[in-house]
Amino acid sequence: VQLQASGGGLVQSGGSLRLSCEAFGSIFSIDDMGWYRQAPGNQRELVAVITSGGRTTYADSVKGRFTVSRDHAKNTVYLQMNSLKPEDTAVYYCNADINLTGWGEPSSLWGLGTLVTVSS
């Protein structure tokens, strides 16, 4: 099972980008899915998480600008990023808690990351 993210790139301040992350492989079910980011010199931080029931959590710095959503049929999580700021520049990583079978604890998997660069 692996996560494949896409959608990063270069955008001007105030612009928008949409990230996607699809889980591939033999999957029984997926619990939480979300996005984290890491800027140079900083620790990885939570951006947004969505539960299997659709409950969302956002970092204060992105509330009102970013929207996380998911498509259960496609095992995919999205991050719509609007009103982007230079401080949003980072490598964005998707994460998913994946149940490979119908019992036991889920496995927390990470995608390789996609770079988002916001120019001023």
Side-chain angles (χ1 to χ4, degrees):
V1 177
Q2 60 180 340
L3 302 179
Q4 183 170 334
S6 62
L10 174 64
V11 64
Q12 289 188 333
S13 181
S16 298
L17 282 175
R18 188 191 194 211
L19 306 183
S20 300
C21 178
E22 182 175 359
F24 292 91
S26 179
I27 297 169
F28 180 80
S29 65
I30 304 177
D31 295 342
D32 294 356
M33 301 186 81
W35 293 92
Y36 293 71
R37 67 186 181 187
Q38 186 168 17
N42 290 355
Q43 291 185 334
R44 190 173 298 189
E45 63 178 4
L46 170 73
V47 177
V49 173
I50 183 167
T51 69
S52 58
R55 181 167 55 90
T56 58
T57 302
Y58 294 94
D60 288 343
S61 60
V62 307
K63 285 180 180 177
R65 300 188 297 122
F66 290 11
T67 302
V68 62
S69 61
R70 64 191 287 176
D71 185 327
H72 290 274
K74 296 181 179 179
N75 290 333
T76 299
V77 62
Y78 305 96
L79 185 67
Q80 178 66 44
M81 304 184 293
N82 298 328
S83 302
L84 281 161
K85 305 175 181 180
E87 50 264 44
D88 294 318
T89 295
V91 177
Y92 284 69
Y93 297 90
C94 60
N95 173 263
D97 293 333
I98 296 178
N99 296 290
L100 303 178
T101 64
W103 61 88
E105 295 296 317
S107 299
S108 182
L109 300 183
W110 292 89
L112 292 179
T114 184
L115 177 62
V116 172
T117 303
V118 184
S119 63
S120 57

